[in-house]
Amino acid sequence: MALFESLCAELDSLLQEAVEMKWPFVPEKWQYKQSISSKDKTNLNDLINKHVHQLLDLLRTSIMAQEAQMSLAIVFLVDRFLYWSDESGRLLKITKLLHKQHPDTPIAPQLVIRQARVFLNSGKLQKAESILSSLIYKNGTTGCWVYNSDSDRVLVQAVSVQVRGMVLQKLGLWLQAAELIWASLVGYYSLPQPDKKGIGTSLGLLANVLVSMNDEDFHAFKTNPDINFASLLGNAGSHRLLSAAQAAKMAVVYSQYTSLYVLTNVTAQGTCLLPYSFSLACPESQRESFLQKAREAFAIGLLTKAKGELVTSQQELHTFLKAAYSITITDKWLHAPEEVVEKAAQACQQSLGIFYKYCKASTQEKDVLSVEIMHQITRVKHLLGVEHFPNSDKGSFIPDTYRNLKGPSVNFTQEGFSKILEGFQKYHASLYETTKSCKRTKDGVAAKLCLTALETTAGSVNTKCHTELAEQKPRGSGSSNVSLSQNANLSPTLESTGSSWFKLSNNSSHQTSSSLQRSGSGQGGSMSDQSNIPTESDDGGCSHSDKNTKQKPQSRGISSPPVLQSIVPKPLSHSPQSQAVHCEIETEVLDTDGKTDFVAENKGSLPFLSQLVLKTASSSLGESFGSQSSWEKISTGQYSPMCEKNKPNPLLKSRSQSAGSDGSFFIIDSVEAGSFADQGNTASHPVNTGIPSQSVSDQNATTEQSSYEMLKLQENGNKANEVKCAKKAPENIHILCYSCLHHSTAPVPDDQFKLFEQDYKALLAGICHQCLLKRLCSNTVLFKLEKVHTAHNALHLKFSKATGLWTAKETCVYIGDLMNKEGKQRRAIEIQFLHQEERLSSYVGKDYLKPREIQYHLKDVERQMTAQYYVTEFNKSLYDKDVLAQIFFIPSDALLILNRNEIVGCITVEPYMLGDFIKLTNNTGKKKLDAEATKYGLAFGHFTYLFSGGQEVVVDLQGWTTSNGKGLTYLTDPQIHSTRSPQGPSNFAERGLGFFLKEQHGPTCNEVCNLLKLPPLIKPHV
């Protein structure tokens, strides 16, 4: 065809090879070559960008001519460009339509794995796992795709294993993630020509995982007989952070011809070196040297873009911000002038506010916002004196000094890769078999899909094709589901696009439909649409915050920097979705790829991609209220973005009038006020919201009264069972704790929440739980965020149950929109911070509705990470017994919000998840008997009781699970009843153990307990 002939020879050749299925991934010129010429240093992204309007015209013509193979080949090629512009989600929708219309036409593995990446970034981890496990288990087989060689299958498996490692990284399973990423490295190296791009990506990922991993897991990883650690990372393996820095530096060299990869990996290198300079292992005499090396790494990253160059990738912008803020912090510790550091930090804060707005903007707005962000990055470079480095290779983005790094001499083979995969085969086989049983069928016959996950809606759904441009309708308006029938024709839609096709060619200055957030960016839709965010750790029930709190908040003088006011994003529009003020977790609209709104609202939208009309039959938020369940009710009331918009309240820290404390942390036992059974039957008063609700007849689904509501008020008006500080505590020395090893007899300072240099050093090096609470625990100072849409410096605190240490990173955080999600105790807030594990993923902050002491937030994190520790051991038992299920607790961290060096706020933060939220058990005796996953939850409680020696049990299980209860379950906000610590508001201690043993689990074990051969439970004396 004429358009095909008009393409340049290089692109013409690539397109012909794509049609012929020459490779499963579109290759870069430099990717498989040992000797690189100047012509090989150009990137495919640049080539496609020059000819994108021709490719889109060709795609349009091919679809109209029903040439499915050519259409999908063009999509295959264009995906490499749109990935850089965060447009993968919409291109995948076209892929699905074509695949449903032409199921016998091959879909490239690159597109299938791209779908897994989009699911990962948007929080649909079960669907991502389904795709990846299928590709790994089936040796890369996907639909009609034909491989040219076995090495191509190895490549697809290596990429799948790599992305699955990213899933486990997001879940905080560092050791398991490192093992998978290592496996991908073996696969890449074993190819006839090692895949330098894949190797560089996996080395960068490994560096990030090692930074977060605890030393105990690192030792297990390094000494694993199946992992030849020294062959790749050499002597640097003597310390975890130096090994991570070495991996990142190698990644930089492997990917030196692509600016984004260099920026990503060199920033990872600096992020490894900076914390090492504060570690106990770093000699004091070498500390400044490592700080200088970290600074050099961040500077290299900041120089990958020249002034005025447009950045169109969310990932790239986020990494630029991280590099700019990190070099600011590094210069602070190198004693740069305080006023310079302050100005640079403010520029980073302002940039993060713009970036938050960028993530929600249309494409045309994104271009403007990107320029604003990069202007601030340039300002930081100027303030801190970032200078260019000697570079003799014009096509490279790294300094000459990095080229001295010698590549490792490894002997990885495809046989060795297959042997490593055999170790994971049982898990991937079980997950594949489990998810395969959930595959959607039509008229009783399985659809001809290249992978189940390309059509992921479970249950029977009627499908109908829509090809005409239509007006946007609210959800639940009766429109049909997404699909494309065999006889459908896209011609009407394509004809309607006209000359708008050419709008994509000028630096991607197209406009996204306002009704659609980019799936590739990890946002997946406006956050008011995204459901299933649990916001409390105790039982459900509609409630609102107590307006008559007894504490009188006192402002600590914090205010938003004036520079931020001009970039504060506007609150969410007053759409039907955002009007809801009360909803339930498990009944909100599920935003799956099979039920997705995709309607072009603006005539200037992205040509063709945004004008395909995909309408849904998913229920609106309003309709979900008619099916409320008492298992988990949440409300927003006065804390919705529309109400919060006009509130002038600053971020407050409140004080009560009780005496101070200088001791460590324990919980005061409560005064008995009747039996817990009587308290559990106390009726709560529902809030009249004006929204109709529906009673639930299933008595087993009735939630026990919240453990917080069980607390009785003492006569003086103070609540019993408060988390309090004691004046005396046992002095247990932790050999890895900075504070224990640098013991100070100095009293807690008068202004307890002002941090000094010694405090920073302790937090950055690692501090045990007891020392952290001894320093920060207070009965007088209460925290609550009162203002959103502000950026702040912060300390990102991670807790490891295995080592008992809290470790901090200095970061920058943006407090975004309230999420229209409230529980009885906490509310959910959109959060962006620079040191989040996944740059493209969304994160949820959780803050108490009433002002709380800081120890409440820290205890929430410790409890969830303790549950994660237990469930990791439980999963090993499931795996050993070939049980087709795995349970995960998503990781939870703490963010200490700072105003200069003073702590003015604290929230917990965790990855955002999408899926069907379900409450399996509560914290007393209730359980959801009709959920298959409940029996695994009860077996897990049984396991934790035995594993802890009869001292602890994890309860209040809630999260996201598959419809058949097998496969993968992701949990959050657990409670733990424990006799290892005094009884408290969420810990019923021995009585809580009794609830579980006698009522929730009961005297009879279920089939999972029996399969695991767990010894019978012995009832304690209660």
Side-chain angles (χ1 to χ4, degrees):
M1 61 181 66
L3 281 171
F4 188 82
E5 295 171 356
S6 70
L7 294 176
C8 69
E10 185 177 356
L11 207 54
D12 175 40
S13 176
L14 284 171
L15 198 52
Q16 289 283 11
E17 291 176 349
V19 171
E20 297 168 6
M21 296 180 282
K22 289 289 186 180
W23 13 253
F25 300 90
V26 185
E28 297 284 359
K29 291 181 182 179
W30 52 265
Q31 192 168 349
Y32 297 100
K33 293 184 178 180
Q34 297 300 316
S35 179
I36 306 296
S37 68
S38 59
K39 292 183 179 179
D40 296 327
K41 297 173 185 177
T42 59
N43 287 288
L44 189 62
N45 175 58
D46 299 326
L47 174 65
I48 296 176
N49 189 23
K50 293 178 182 178
H51 301 278
V52 68
H53 63 287
Q54 293 171 281
L55 287 169
L56 291 177
D57 270 333
L58 183 56
L59 176 58
R60 176 175 180 261
T61 304
S62 299
I63 292 176
M64 293 176 66
Q66 295 290 306
E67 296 179 1
Q69 193 167 10
M70 175 59 70
S71 300
L72 286 167
I74 298 168
V75 168
F76 181 17
L77 206 58
V78 172
D79 171 67
R80 289 302 302 273
F81 168 71
L82 293 184
Y83 161 73
W84 285 71
S85 302
D86 303 324
E87 293 286 354
S88 295
R90 292 197 286 173
L91 190 65
L92 287 171
K93 296 180 188 299
I94 294 176
T95 305
K96 293 175 193 177
L97 288 173
L98 289 168
H99 189 47
K100 291 172 184 177
Q101 186 178 16
H102 307 283
D104 295 323
T105 304
I107 300 289
Q110 172 181 305
L111 293 169
V112 177
I113 294 177
R114 183 76 69 217
Q115 179 67 81
R117 292 181 187 273
V118 170
F119 283 150
L120 166 62
N121 293 333
S122 61
K124 303 175 185 178
L125 299 190
Q126 291 163 331
K127 294 184 179 183
E129 288 268 44
S130 173
I131 294 177
L132 300 169
S133 292
S134 176
L135 288 171
I136 297 168
Y137 173 67
K138 295 166 63 180
N139 197 23
T141 300
T142 169
C144 309
W145 186 265
V146 178
Y147 288 97
N148 282 317
S149 65
D150 288 341
S151 61
D152 283 347
R153 290 182 178 271
V154 170
L155 175 60
V156 171
Q157 286 183 298
V159 176
S160 300
V161 168
Q162 178 197 78
V163 180
R164 227 203 124 233
M166 295 170 67
V167 174
L168 297 186
Q169 177 189 9
K170 186 171 184 175
L171 291 171
L173 302 174
W174 318 118
L175 175 59
Q176 296 86 336
E179 290 171 345
L180 285 173
I181 292 170
W182 183 272
S184 72
L185 283 166
V186 175
Y188 292 134
Y189 274 113
S190 71
L191 297 173
Q193 291 294 330
D195 182 353
K196 293 193 289 185
K197 178 184 172 185
I199 292 170
T201 301
S202 284
L203 285 170
L205 290 170
L206 182 61
N208 287 321
V209 169
L210 294 182
V211 168
S212 298
M213 182 185 289
N214 63 62
D215 290 329
E216 183 178 301
D217 283 348
F218 176 65
H219 178 74
F221 174 67
K222 189 171 60 173
T223 57
N224 186 333
D226 296 326
I227 294 175
N228 190 354
F229 188 87
S231 67
L232 190 60
L233 296 177
N235 295 330
S238 59
H239 190 275
R240 172 176 53 86
L241 292 173
L242 293 183
S243 296
Q246 177 73 0
K249 188 173 184 179
M250 291 171 59
V252 172
V253 176
Y254 273 109
S255 59
Q256 61 181 288
Y257 300 110
T258 304
S259 61
L260 173 59
Y261 301 152
V262 171
L263 169 65
T264 301
N265 294 323
V266 82
T267 301
Q269 182 194 4
T271 305
C272 303
L273 294 170
L274 183 57
Y276 178 75
S277 68
F278 293 102
S279 70
L280 295 174
C282 180
E284 185 65 29
S285 61
Q286 298 181 27
R287 181 169 170 239
E288 184 170 338
S289 173
F290 280 103
L291 285 171
Q292 291 287 2
K293 290 179 180 179
R295 188 187 196 280
E296 179 190 29
F298 296 132
I300 293 170
L302 291 173
L303 292 169
T304 55
K305 287 290 184 183
K307 183 178 180 180
E309 282 191 82
L310 182 65
V311 177
T312 60
S313 164
Q314 179 179 330
Q315 175 180 343
E316 195 166 11
L317 285 171
H318 187 277
T319 312
F320 265 118
L321 282 169
K322 183 176 180 180
Y325 188 80
S326 297
I327 198 172
T328 302
I329 295 301
T330 306
D331 275 13
K332 179 189 77 171
W333 289 106
L334 287 170
H335 309 295
E338 184 177 347
E339 62 276 11
V340 172
V341 172
E342 181 70 20
K343 289 179 180 179
Q346 288 181 1
C348 292
Q349 290 177 20
Q350 179 170 356
S351 297
L352 187 56
I354 302 171
F355 178 76
Y356 179 83
K357 190 175 181 180
Y358 174 95
C359 294
K360 295 171 172 288
S362 67
T363 304
Q364 289 180 342
E365 293 172 327
K366 283 178 183 286
D367 291 340
V368 175
L369 295 172
S370 175
V371 170
E372 293 182 28
I373 293 170
M374 293 308 296
H375 174 73
Q376 294 297 328
I377 299 297
T378 302
R379 182 165 174 250
V380 172
K381 290 192 289 185
H382 176 73
L383 284 167
L384 301 180
V386 176
E387 299 178 352
H388 289 274
F389 45 79
N391 179 10
S392 58
D393 189 342
K394 186 177 179 180
S396 172
F397 292 91
I398 66 174
D400 291 335
T401 54
Y402 272 55
R403 294 189 181 87
N404 298 328
L405 182 68
K406 295 182 179 180
S409 177
V410 296
N411 185 28
F412 295 145
T413 64
Q414 293 187 14
E415 291 75 15
F417 179 63
S418 297
K419 182 179 178 181
I420 291 177
L421 289 187
E422 287 176 5
F424 305 110
Q425 194 73 350
K426 185 165 63 173
Y427 173 82
H428 293 129
S430 66
L431 183 57
Y432 168 72
E433 294 298 332
T434 301
T435 56
K436 186 175 68 172
S437 66
C438 299
K439 182 177 179 179
R440 191 170 95 176
T441 62
K442 184 176 181 180
D443 299 328
V445 180
K448 296 179 180 180
L449 298 173
C450 64
L451 266 182
T452 304
L454 277 181
E455 189 175 51
T456 54
T457 303
S460 90
V461 181
N462 294 325
T463 60
K464 184 178 180 181
C465 172
H466 290 265
T467 59
E468 70 278 9
L469 195 63
E471 295 180 359
Q472 184 179 4
K473 298 181 180 180
R475 294 189 175 210
S477 59
S479 53
S480 302
N481 289 330
V482 174
S483 186
L484 185 65
S485 65
Q486 293 282 355
N487 299 321
N489 192 328
L490 293 176
S491 299
T493 298
L494 300 173
E495 290 292 344
S496 69
T497 62
S499 61
S500 63
W501 277 77
F502 294 92
K503 294 180 181 179
L504 187 61
S505 60
N506 296 325
N507 294 321
S508 305
S509 58
H510 40 273
Q511 184 172 350
T512 308
S513 168
S514 63
S515 65
L516 179 70
Q517 294 291 332
R518 304 180 182 200
S519 299
S521 68
Q523 300 302 320
S526 64
M527 297 298 280
S528 61
D529 266 347
Q530 295 179 343
S531 57
N532 311 321
I533 300 297
T535 58
E536 61 184 286
S537 58
D538 47 19
D539 293 349
C542 292
S543 68
H544 58 84
S545 63
D546 187 356
K547 299 178 182 179
N548 299 318
T549 178
K550 293 182 180 297
Q551 292 83 6
K552 295 182 179 180
Q554 177 180 347
S555 173
R556 302 286 293 176
I558 181 171
S559 60
S560 302
V563 73
L564 293 177
Q565 299 304 316
S566 62
I567 53 88
V568 171
K570 295 180 180 179
L572 299 176
S573 61
H574 199 261
S575 62
Q577 292 90 341
S578 64
Q579 289 176 4
V581 294
H582 282 257
C583 56
E584 282 193 314
I585 289 176
E586 65 268 36
T587 56
E588 287 188 15
V589 174
L590 175 61
D591 180 20
T592 66
D593 65 301
K595 296 182 179 180
T596 307
D597 283 335
F598 190 38
V599 183
E601 184 180 72
N602 301 320
K603 294 182 180 180
S605 297
L606 177 67
F608 177 49
L609 299 186
S610 65
Q611 294 190 18
L612 283 175
V613 178
L614 313 180
K615 298 191 285 187
T616 78
S618 60
S619 300
S620 68
L621 287 177
E623 288 176 334
S624 70
F625 301 137
S627 58
Q628 289 188 359
S629 160
S630 61
W631 276 91
E632 188 69 43
K633 298 180 180 179
I634 55 180
S635 63
T636 58
Q638 61 181 319
Y639 290 97
S640 68
M642 299 306 298
C643 297
E644 190 71 17
K645 174 177 64 175
N646 297 320
K647 288 190 176 182
N649 300 20
L651 186 67
L652 294 180
K653 182 168 69 179
S654 309
R655 291 185 183 272
S656 68
Q657 301 302 316
S658 58
S661 168
D662 59 358
S664 75
F665 166 73
F666 78 96
I667 305 174
I668 303 297
D669 202 350
S670 65
V671 178
E672 290 282 341
S675 69
F676 274 81
D678 293 337
Q679 294 174 349
N681 294 326
T682 302
S684 61
H685 298 286
V687 178
N688 183 9
T689 65
I691 298 175
S693 61
Q694 179 176 321
S695 61
V696 180
S697 58
D698 182 7
Q699 296 301 315
N700 291 320
T702 302
T703 305
E704 194 74 15
Q705 185 78 328
S706 163
S707 61
Y708 284 96
E709 287 197 3
M710 290 180 179
L711 305 176
K712 297 296 185 180
L713 294 179
Q714 300 184 53
E715 291 182 1
N716 61 4
N718 293 326
K719 193 174 287 187
N721 275 346
E722 287 291 346
V723 180
K724 293 192 176 182
C725 303
K727 292 187 177 181
K728 294 183 180 180
E731 294 293 334
N732 297 319
I733 302 300
H734 193 301
I735 61 172
L736 299 177
C737 171
Y738 181 96
S739 293
C740 286
L741 298 178
H742 298 79
H743 183 68
S744 173
T745 58
V748 176
D750 293 336
D751 195 343
Q752 183 180 2
F753 292 94
K754 183 175 181 180
L755 300 178
F756 299 91
E757 181 175 336
Q758 195 72 2
D759 296 316
Y760 279 104
K761 288 182 177 180
L763 291 167
L764 296 172
I767 183 172
C768 69
H769 189 63
Q770 179 177 330
C771 286
L772 178 66
L773 290 170
K774 183 177 181 180
R775 175 64 179 84
L776 296 181
C777 188
S778 170
N779 296 331
T780 64
V781 181
L782 310 176
F783 293 96
K784 183 178 186 297
L785 296 176
E786 292 290 354
K787 189 172 184 179
V788 295
H789 300 155
T790 55
H792 300 277
N793 293 335
L795 284 172
H796 176 209
L797 279 175
K798 285 177 171 289
F799 176 72
S800 168
K801 177 65 176 178
T803 62
L805 288 179
W806 291 84
T807 307
K809 288 190 181 76
E810 294 178 88
T811 191
C812 186
V813 59
Y814 187 83
I815 310 298
D817 290 323
L818 298 176
M819 296 180 64
N820 288 351
K821 311 277 188 291
E822 275 190 15
K824 296 176 74 68
Q825 293 296 318
R826 294 190 291 177
R827 60 179 179 175
I829 309 170
E830 293 180 40
I831 295 294
Q832 280 274 3
F833 64 105
L834 295 181
H835 288 76
Q836 58 194 49
E837 290 294 336
E838 290 292 330
R839 289 159 297 181
L840 297 180
S841 295
S842 301
Y843 282 75
V844 178
K846 296 180 180 180
D847 188 30
Y848 281 96
L849 295 172
K850 297 180 180 180
R852 293 286 191 186
E853 297 90 341
I854 199 170
Q855 55 265 27
Y856 275 84
H857 300 275
L858 299 177
K859 188 64 178 176
D860 289 339
V861 172
E862 189 229 11
R863 181 170 54 246
Q864 189 149 326
M865 299 310 290
T866 298
Q868 185 192 68
Y869 175 80
Y870 280 136
V871 85
T872 301
E873 298 299 324
F874 178 68
N875 284 337
K876 294 176 184 177
S877 299
L878 293 177
Y879 188 82
D880 291 341
K881 299 296 182 181
D882 297 325
V883 178
L884 306 184
Q886 293 280 281
I887 301 175
F888 303 101
F889 278 94
I890 60 178
S892 177
D893 302 327
L895 286 172
L896 302 182
I897 312 300
L898 303 178
N899 179 23
R900 293 186 179 272
N901 293 317
E902 182 183 12
I903 299 174
V904 294
C906 183
I907 57 173
T908 58
V909 63
E910 62 187 41
Y912 174 60
M913 298 285 291
L914 268 173
D916 288 316
F917 189 88
I918 188 171
K919 181 102 168 175
L920 302 176
T921 67
N922 71 350
N923 54 352
T924 53
K926 297 297 182 180
K927 52 195 172 185
K928 191 170 179 62
L929 296 175
D930 59 343
E932 183 72 13
T934 300
K935 62 184 180 184
Y936 291 94
L938 295 175
F940 169 56
H942 186 165
F943 176 89
T944 59
Y945 179 77
L946 298 173
F947 193 83
S948 65
Q951 298 179 75
E952 293 188 325
V953 63
V954 180
V955 295
D956 207 12
L957 305 181
Q958 51 198 323
W960 303 264
T961 185
T962 51
S963 58
N964 63 359
K966 299 180 180 180
L968 303 174
T969 296
Y970 304 98
L971 301 177
T972 186
D973 289 339
Q975 299 293 346
I976 298 179
H977 297 315
S978 174
T979 57
R980 292 176 175 174
S981 57
Q983 182 173 315
S986 60
N987 173 23
F988 299 165
E990 187 172 336
R991 184 162 288 161
L993 297 177
F995 280 138
F996 176 79
L997 298 175
K998 293 191 297 184
E999 300 180 29
Q1000 198 167 91
H1001 181 281
T1004 304
C1005 286
N1006 62 37
E1007 57 266 40
V1008 180
C1009 300
N1010 293 331
L1011 185 60
L1012 297 178
K1013 298 182 180 180
L1014 299 178
L1017 291 172
I1018 301 175
K1019 299 180 183 178
H1021 176 70
V1022 180

